[in-house]
Amino acid sequence: DEVKIRTNAYLHSIPIITTAQGVLAAADGIEALIKGELKVKSIQEYHQEINPLRNNILFFEDSNVPVII
């Protein structure tokens, strides 16, 4: 049944969302699109927003010890 559902959805350009996280992400995207707040950013920009200290970590040669600057 799953193959038939996915095949027909694909043939009729109907999106399928199979997880709760996927539904929430789709709802957020639709809301942003409606509000005109949809923005494109690089993966680097996204990660900088969620973890701003990451770009301030250095690893010295021959060492696995991180140093935050």
Side-chain angles (χ1 to χ4, degrees), residues 1 10-12 14 17-21 27-29 42 44-45 49 56 58-60 63-67:
D1 288 339
Y10 173 77
L11 292 174
H12 295 93
I14 299 170
I17 303 170
T18 59
T19 65
Q21 288 178 326
D28 287 345
S42 68
Q44 292 85 357
E45 291 170 317
E49 285 180 15
N56 297 326
L58 296 177
F59 288 90
F60 289 104
S63 172
N64 289 328
V65 178
V67 177

Side-chain angles (χ1 to χ4, degrees), residues 36-55:
E37 298 173 352
L38 193 62
K39 298 176 185 170
V40 177
K41 57 185 159 185
S42 68
I43 192 75
Q44 292 85 357
E45 291 170 317
Y46 172 75
H47 282 287
Q48 179 62 30
E49 285 180 15
I50 63 171
N51 192 356
L53 289 179
R54 187 168 181 85
N55 286 342

Side-chain angles (χ1 to χ4, degrees), residues 24-40:
L24 293 174
D28 287 345
I30 292 166
E31 181 181 23
L33 185 62
I34 290 169
K35 290 181 176 179
E37 298 173 352
L38 193 62
K39 298 176 185 170
V40 177

